[in-house]
Amino acid sequence: MRAKRRTHFSPAEAPYNEKAERLFIMDFSLLKSFTAVADEKSFSTAAKHLFISQQSLSKQIAKLEEELGTTLFVRSRPLSLTPDGKQFLQTAKEILQLKQQYEESSSHSFSGSHFIHVGIEHTIARAILPYVLPEYLKEHPDTYVKVSEESPEVLHKSIIYDGVDLVIGSINGAPDNYDTVTLCKKEQVLVVPKQIMRELAGDQYDEIKARFSECADLTWFEKAPFIKIPRQSSGGRALNSYLKYYDINPCFVCELTNVENAFQLANSGLGVLVYARIFWDMLAPELQADYLKNIDIFPLPYLPDIDDVCAYYNKETGLHGKNKELLDIFRRFFDDYRSGKEPEKTEE
């Protein structure tokens, strides 16, 4: 009897042409998902880091296993790799690294001889990139800079999964494999709509405003409507720290994940907002003057458990010369900011 032809092979057994065909048609997102599960040893944890549902992630891994014709994971607790899975993990990481190198080299063809990939928080990017990036590119015209603007939660994993060289943002508990450089304490201010301030203060508006010009007392605003930022974000953690510090439980009228949208709602009179001081300070003076027609800004005391603005990167790979030079410019910017020196935008 003639033996049936095998249609599926393990990665080690598959003929070269068949393996090559599979790899060419493979979705790179499947490799990214596979390496995330393998590194985290958990579907649920990897799904959170990839910002997809656990069900979707399980389907992706099942699809990958079907394409390869083998089982990659032993579904037990803790999750572990099969022998084929261990072998394919190395291959998957090599493929993703080659993909990243290709993307970088293709960028060089129109941008210069060097490539760096920087991750930065959305709101921090808005505040400081107009000052830092033009200065860096003026000093390094042969460098192509890719900037990924993401939330802190995404950025924490972007070094591992997205090939980011350097991250600028808030970090809450740095992993052991990251080196961290503190750039600036993230002081906060209280944004209070004038309408709400006048309702609370009455005839004492000017007196209360002068009293809080140096430092606001949050307990005085407990009866005011507040705008909430989710505690998973750095802005939300700052808000939560102040609520605990002052032992108050205000009424929240809405919750937004985007702190800039929250600021605009505060400006419209909706509610009180805890807001990072650097975001306010980096606004153009004419914009500040326009906003101050509708809101009052009061400093809040610095609390040590509030996330600082940091730079962090992979400890194993470190920073190469171009990234170190960019980090130096970020440091100079924050040194000037802390000293009260007004930053200047680089002229083209």
Side-chain angles (χ1 to χ4, degrees):
M1 182 180 294
R2 181 179 297 178
K4 290 184 178 180
R5 180 178 180 271
R6 290 180 64 185
T7 57
H8 293 292
F9 299 84
S10 72
E13 297 173 319
Y16 175 80
N17 289 341
E18 185 167 347
K19 281 200 297 184
E21 181 183 0
R22 286 176 183 152
L23 293 180
F24 278 122
I25 65 173
M26 188 174 293
D27 184 347
F28 286 111
S29 65
L30 298 183
L31 299 184
K32 184 177 177 181
S33 295
F34 167 66
T35 57
V37 176
D39 289 342
E40 299 297 341
K41 298 181 176 62
S42 165
F43 277 91
S44 59
T45 304
K48 290 178 182 177
H49 293 159
L50 294 169
F51 290 86
I52 60 175
S53 69
Q54 185 173 339
Q55 183 180 13
S56 297
L57 180 57
S58 297
K59 288 181 178 179
Q60 288 183 2
I61 299 302
K63 180 181 178 183
L64 180 60
E65 290 178 325
E66 182 181 358
E67 288 189 6
L68 293 172
T70 190
T71 301
L72 298 172
F73 291 100
V74 178
R75 268 70 168 180
S76 60
R77 291 190 178 182
L79 192 70
S80 61
L81 289 165
T82 64
D84 282 347
K86 291 178 181 178
Q87 182 176 347
F88 187 68
L89 177 61
Q90 181 178 356
T91 301
K93 289 186 174 181
E94 289 173 355
I95 292 171
L96 291 173
Q97 185 177 11
L98 287 171
K99 175 178 178 287
Q100 180 186 342
Q101 290 173 355
Y102 171 76
E103 290 173 344
E104 293 176 1
S105 64
S106 64
S107 300
H108 297 168
S109 62
F110 60 85
S111 61
S113 58
H114 300 283
F115 174 93
I116 60 175
H117 188 180
V118 181
I120 188 166
E121 278 185 43
H122 294 293
T123 45
I124 295 177
R126 190 270 297 166
I128 67 177
L129 274 187
Y131 301 93
V132 172
L133 197 55
E135 180 180 349
Y136 178 80
L137 291 175
K138 186 176 182 180
E139 294 181 9
H140 304 279
D142 61 340
T143 301
Y144 178 80
V145 181
K146 178 180 178 181
V147 179
S148 296
E149 299 176 55
E150 300 286 356
S151 67
E153 293 72 30
V154 174
L155 290 174
H156 290 177
K157 290 295 178 180
S158 63
I159 292 176
I160 299 174
Y161 299 123
D162 294 324
V164 171
D165 302 306
L166 175 69
V167 171
I168 306 296
S170 305
I171 187 165
N172 183 31
D176 292 337
N177 58 332
Y178 289 176
D179 269 337
T180 305
V181 178
T182 300
L183 297 173
C184 180
K185 295 184 183 300
K186 207 171 184 182
E187 297 178 351
Q188 307 289 316
V189 295
L190 196 66
V191 182
V192 185
K194 286 185 180 292
Q195 177 184 348
I196 293 176
M197 185 70 181
R198 292 186 184 281
E199 289 174 357
L200 293 173
D203 295 338
Q204 295 181 306
Y205 172 80
D206 291 332
E207 178 185 339
I208 299 296
K209 182 178 177 180
R211 188 204 310 174
F212 292 156
S213 62
E214 295 296 326
C215 185
D217 179 359
L218 215 59
T219 56
W220 193 85
F221 295 92
E222 185 172 13
K223 294 183 179 179
F226 271 68
I227 297 173
K228 187 176 184 179
I229 305 295
R231 67 176 61 192
Q232 294 89 344
S233 67
S234 58
R237 287 192 292 270
L239 171 62
N240 196 51
S241 294
Y242 282 109
L243 297 183
K244 288 183 177 179
Y245 179 78
Y246 285 100
D247 192 24
I248 63 172
N249 186 26
C251 173
F252 292 103
V253 292
C254 66
E255 178 176 336
L256 288 90
T257 56
N258 187 307
V259 71
E260 291 306 312
N261 290 338
F263 178 83
Q264 294 301 327
L265 287 176
N267 183 61
S268 72
L270 185 64
V272 176
L273 176 70
V274 173
Y275 190 64
R277 180 168 188 161
I278 189 171
F279 302 158
W280 171 254
D281 289 342
M282 289 300 104
L283 290 174
E286 57 271 21
L287 271 179
Q288 288 185 346
D290 192 47
Y291 282 129
L292 288 173
K293 296 174 184 177
N294 304 316
I295 58 176
D296 290 321
I297 300 290
F298 301 117
L300 286 168
Y302 174 73
L303 301 181
D305 60 338
I306 291 177
D307 302 338
D308 295 329
V309 179
C310 298
Y312 54 97
Y313 52 90
N314 192 311
K315 186 182 296 184
E316 295 180 1
T317 58
L319 289 179
H320 60 69
K322 296 295 180 180
N323 281 308
K324 285 183 179 179
E325 290 159 0
L326 178 58
L327 178 55
D328 286 341
I329 293 179
F330 275 111
R331 279 173 160 164
R332 291 204 302 267
F333 170 86
F334 283 106
D335 286 345
D336 289 344
Y337 173 72
R338 288 196 304 271
S339 67
K341 180 180 177 182
E342 186 173 342
E344 297 179 1
K345 292 183 180 179
T346 301
E347 298 293 335
E348 295 294 334

